[in-house]
Structure formats: structure tokens, C-alpha cells
Amino acid sequence: MGASPDRRRPAGGPVSAASTDDARSTLIERTGIEIIPESDRTAKPRDLFWPWFAANVSVFGMSYGSFVLGFGISFWQATIVSVIGIVVSFFLCGLIAIAGKRGSAPTMILSRSAFGVHGQKVPGIVSWLTSIGWETFLAITAVLATATIITQLGGDGGVAVKLIATVVVAVLIVTASVLGYHTIMKLQSVLTWVTGIVTILYIILAIPHIDFSAVLAHPSGNIGQVIGALVMVMTGFGLGWINIAADWSRYQKRTASDGAIIWWNTFGGAIAPVILVIFGLLLAGSDDKLFQGVQNDPVGALAQILPVWVLVPFLITAILALVSGAVLGIYSSGLTLLSLGIRIPRPSAAAIDGVILTLGTIWVVFFAQNFIGPFQSFLITLGVPLASWAGILIADILRRKKVYDDDALFDAKGRYGAWDWTSIITMVVTSFIGWGFVVNSFAEDAAWNNWQGYLLFLIGGKDGEWAYANLGVFFALVLSFLVTWFARAGKIRRQEEGAVR
């Protein structure tokens, strides 16, 4: 346990290079939420390409073509919305990643500069729930795709296959997450090539299924529908990762260029989804049966248009790509769990989250009737406070000119304080406003979320043009950024001068 907290300092506090010798010499990364010592900051900005690309090159990205067209918009509207939403959302991840380079600590630990050492637990809980929800969704998708493809191959994709798939997927995710950063980075560089090649093969084989006349026949939607699709794309891609963005840049040298960090994060995360979603739009717009099938089994439905000979490699790479994304999330959710004050080794935290993921997968696969609707409803609901947190932290990052005070990130009596009430109140208020301007699009499947939309009467009501635009996510992001930019400017300046608690 080379990175275990020293008894002479606060648990989880910064450590010296000497205290991590054991962590570097073992297969399992034992470094938890402490500051990465300078000797271990050997990554280069271009290294960020591999985890972000590998986690987002999955054929699952094509499923978003069906989700976007589901808002009732045209192909060209959907294409513009997808490109803007994907690129902008990953650009925001890049801004958060700057903090990882400057502070050499996980995202939620760096968030203490804006919320306080104890106040960080407020967004930390939201972040943890979001990560667990996302990774469980990816695991579920992998299991359902396995069952569908086995059935297509002539086998029985019933209970036994689903159970085996659940175990295999869970073991892959948990094992990689427990092994840690260095193993994950090596795996991602390999998975990038494997999944990329098979995805290109899928596109080539699926091109004959495209009917351009049917695609272009989709009518245009109104501005509210377009904005709603944009919000869904942003929350489904970059904003879905934003709470862990700094976790993968904390091994960067502090002299690395901010611009390079942003570029490789944005390029690595966005390039594959842009291509995949546009191709998914062409497929979903061509075939109504495929469009409907994606709603219940995103990857399995896409496999049904393939010849039998390619189904096995397609299945393997589809699972690996989904596992790749889930590994990033479970690794980071374990770090978030530690930031909440849970005093256990990092591998144990990743394992605990892996068990939760497994139980969630079993419940949905074997007992739940529908999960796409509730998941998207869940995504928008947590997307509001997560967007608020992102606005606050991005403003905090852009206002700062110096590296973080390593010790103060772990000391409630340090310059960042215990609670930053300006940030906490900002997050609470903007989340309340944001939830008032989103509507539960899945009222029947997720009735527990029908409390939202209480401010929509201000813009035409729940039956108005803007009802399904989910403007609340934008409001939470922009309002929290503006409030933080102006209200905390003086405090941030004094913090960097070391003049305040």
C-alpha cells in the first residue's frame, strides 16, 4: 500500500515521490486521490488522445442517430446539431482537463478550490451517481447486444447467455479499473486500433442499406426540437464525461501547454462520435425498423443489418468498446468515492463501484421492462446539476493563473476553506432553475421524474414549442459560469495570493 495515507497528515493528503515507490513498482496502481509527484508526471498532451478516442469509438455512437432523429428534426438539422454538440461538449471537457495538469489530482479533488474541502462533497455525490449510471448503461448495452447477436447466429440468446455476458463484461470492467491508470492507458491504445478497424468495416458493409431519398424526406423540426436534440447530444457525449476529465490529465507535466491539453482532449473525444453519429443518422433515416429497434437494443439492432460472417468480430469489438468507456468511468467513480471521505485503497473503491455496476446490470437485463427511456430521463435530470458544477469549475479554472496549493486541497483550514457558500448556493439555485426548464420526455417509463418543468409556463407551458428543448441544462451551465466569473473573482485572486482561508 505504497500510497496509503501517512498517519502524520490528513488522510488522502499529498505525498512525496518517495512514498509512491511501491505504487510504481506493482501492477496495480495504488495511487488514490493524492497529488501525483513530479517524477511521475511523464505523460504528454498527445497521450490524451488514446483514452478519449477508445472510449468513444464504439458503434454505440451510431445509435445516437436514432435518438437525435427522434426529436422530429431533419437530417441536415440533426447533422449540424450533432457536430456542434459533440465538439463543444468535448471542448468543455478540455477546459476541465487543464485543472488536472495544474493540480495533478483527480477532478473532484481539484473541485475543492471552488467549493471548499468539505463543500466539494455536494457536487461529488452528483458526479458519483452520474458515473455509476453511465457505466451501468454501457454494461447493459454490451449484455443485450451479446444476446441479440448470439440469437442472430442461430443460438439461444436467453437467460444463460445474458448471465455469462454479464459476468464477462463485469470482470473485464472491474479488472481493468482495479489495475488502474497505467494499465488502462496501455489497453486504450490497443483497443483504439482494434475497435477502429472493425468500425470502419461495419461502415463499409452498412453503406448499401442507406436510402438517401428516405433520409432527406424527414421533415424539419422547430427551434425547440433542434435545441432539445442539441442538449441531448451534449449530455450524451462530452457533458457525460466532464466530471472525470481532469482524472486523465493529472499525470501531465505542469509545464504542458493548456492549448495542447484542450486540443487532444477535444480531438480525441469528438472525432469518432462525429463520424459515427452522422452515419447513424443515415442508417436510422433510411430504415424505420432499425430506427425503432435502436430504442430498445442500441448495438444489437445495428448488428441485424450485417452478414453472418462478420457478427463475431463485430460482437467482440462492440463489447470491448463499451467496456473501454465503462472502465474510464468506474476508475474515476472510485476516485470520486474516495474524495467523499471513504477511507479505503483506490483498488477497493473501484471494486465496490464495479459490484454496484454488476447488480444494476443484472436488475435491468433480467427484471426491468425498459431502460432506454428511464436512462435518458436520468441523464437529463443529473445533467442539470452537473452542468451547473461544470460552469462553476470552468469559470474558476479560467480565472486562476497559478497552479493549485497542493496542501490546501486537503486542509479545510487552508486557503480554499471548508465550505465555499457562494459556489454551493450558486449550484443549488441554478439547478433549481434548470430543473424548472426541462421536461420528462419519458413520463410513462420514468414517472418518478414528472416533477420537473415547473417553470415552463414562462415560455409557453409543457405543450409549447420550447417544452422539449431542455433549456434548463444551458441555463444551469451559463448562469453558474457567469455568477462564478464575477462573484468569485476577488476571492480567487486572494486565494492565489494566499491571503484568505
Side-chain angles (χ1 to χ4, degrees):
M1 300 295 180
S4 296
D6 191 308
R7 294 181 184 276
R8 294 169 295 176
R9 54 186 177 73
V15 296
S16 65
S19 68
T20 61
D21 286 342
D22 291 340
R24 294 196 303 270
S25 65
T26 60
L27 177 63
I28 300 177
E29 178 204 18
R30 300 190 183 279
T31 304
I33 59 175
E34 56 267 31
I35 305 297
I36 302 299
E38 186 175 359
S39 59
D40 285 355
R41 298 176 208 146
T42 57
K44 297 178 175 61
R46 65 173 178 269
D47 294 334
L48 292 171
F49 173 84
W50 301 111
W52 289 111
F53 184 86
N56 290 282
V57 73
S58 168
V59 291
F60 171 66
M62 295 183 196
S63 302
Y64 273 83
S66 177
F67 301 154
V68 174
L69 287 178
F71 280 84
I73 60 179
S74 70
F75 168 75
W76 294 114
Q77 287 177 321
T79 299
I80 293 171
V81 158
S82 298
V83 172
I84 293 175
I86 291 168
V87 173
V88 170
S89 62
F90 278 111
F91 173 78
L92 295 178
C93 284
L95 293 178
I96 297 290
I98 293 174
K101 185 266 295 191
R102 290 180 183 173
S104 308
T107 312
M108 283 299 142
I109 293 298
L110 299 169
S111 183
R112 291 174 175 178
S113 65
F115 287 85
V117 174
H118 296 317
Q120 166 268 327
K121 294 176 183 178
V122 175
I125 293 172
V126 175
S127 173
W128 183 76
L129 288 172
T130 302
S131 293
I132 287 293
W134 258 114
E135 308 345 311
T136 303
F137 172 77
L138 293 176
I140 292 166
T141 303
V143 172
L144 293 180
T146 301
T148 299
I149 294 173
I150 292 298
T151 300
Q152 194 172 343
L153 286 169
D156 180 7
V159 174
V161 167
K162 290 179 180 178
L163 186 59
I164 294 172
T166 300
V167 172
V168 171
V169 168
V171 168
L172 289 173
I173 294 172
V174 174
T175 300
S177 302
V178 167
L179 291 177
Y181 172 85
H182 300 291
T183 298
I184 293 172
M185 291 296 284
K186 291 176 182 177
L187 287 174
Q188 300 291 53
S189 63
V190 174
L191 289 175
T192 293
W193 291 104
V194 175
T195 55
I197 291 171
V198 175
T199 300
I200 292 173
L201 176 62
Y202 177 92
I203 290 175
I204 293 172
L205 294 173
I207 285 177
H209 293 270
I210 296 175
D211 181 349
F212 286 101
S213 60
V215 171
L216 298 177
H218 283 257
S220 298
N222 59 42
I223 186 64
Q225 292 168 302
V226 171
I227 297 298
L230 177 63
V231 171
M232 192 272 294
V233 170
M234 291 184 68
T235 55
F237 286 97
L239 290 184
W241 295 104
I242 200 165
N243 58 314
I244 69 171
D247 297 359
W248 303 97
S249 56
R250 63 185 181 136
Y251 280 87
Q252 297 283 327
K253 296 179 180 179
R254 292 188 178 179
T255 55
S257 164
D258 287 354
I261 296 290
I262 295 172
W263 163 252
W264 286 108
N265 199 112
T266 306
F267 180 66
I271 183 64
V274 165
I275 296 171
L276 293 173
V277 174
I278 291 176
F279 192 75
L281 290 171
L282 292 171
L283 289 178
S286 302
D287 185 345
D288 188 61
K289 181 180 179 181
L290 177 63
F291 171 84
Q292 297 296 334
V294 166
Q295 307 301 319
N296 295 314
D297 185 2
V299 176
L302 292 169
Q304 293 181 5
I305 65 174
L306 292 175
V308 173
W309 65 267
V310 80
L311 287 179
V312 172
F314 173 83
L315 172 61
I316 293 172
T317 52
I319 290 175
L320 289 177
L322 292 167
V323 165
S324 174
V327 165
L328 261 64
I330 289 298
Y331 173 83
S332 291
S333 69
L335 294 175
T336 300
L337 195 63
L338 296 179
S339 77
L340 297 177
I342 308 298
R343 299 191 179 190
I344 56 177
R346 186 209 62 79
S348 299
I352 288 173
D353 285 349
V355 171
I356 295 173
L357 172 147
T358 304
L359 293 176
T361 301
I362 290 173
W363 168 256
V364 171
V365 170
F366 294 100
F367 301 103
Q369 298 299 314
N370 180 24
F371 83 100
I372 291 291
F375 172 74
Q376 291 196 59
S377 183
F378 161 85
L379 191 65
I380 290 294
T381 300
L382 287 185
V384 171
L386 201 62
S388 175
W389 165 85
I392 292 169
L393 190 58
I394 289 172
D396 185 89
I397 291 169
L398 296 180
R399 276 291 190 188
R400 294 185 186 277
K401 306 301 180 185
K402 302 178 182 179
V403 297
Y404 294 95
D405 182 334
D406 293 351
D407 293 322
L409 288 171
F410 298 89
D411 183 2
K413 296 181 179 179
R415 71 178 69 189
Y416 304 126
W419 302 85
D420 191 303
W421 291 108
T422 301
S423 293
I424 294 171
I425 292 173
T426 298
M427 183 174 176
V428 171
V429 172
T430 54
S431 295
F432 176 80
I433 294 172
W435 281 323
F437 287 99
V438 299
V439 65
N440 183 16
S441 305
F442 308 92
E444 293 184 6
D445 296 331
W448 43 270
N449 246 353
N450 289 339
W451 55 272
Q452 298 170 111
Y454 43 79
L455 296 177
L456 284 172
F457 69 91
L458 296 174
I459 54 173
K462 292 188 176 182
D463 296 321
E465 178 179 344
W466 291 95
Y468 292 91
N470 288 320
L471 292 173
V473 176
F474 283 137
F475 289 163
L477 177 67
V478 175
L479 287 176
S480 60
F481 176 89
L482 292 174
V483 170
T484 302
W485 182 264
F486 293 106
R488 297 190 70 251
K491 186 170 186 178
I492 291 172
R493 184 175 63 252
R494 294 192 299 274
Q495 282 180 347
E496 296 205 308
E497 294 170 354
V500 297
R501 284 182 53 191

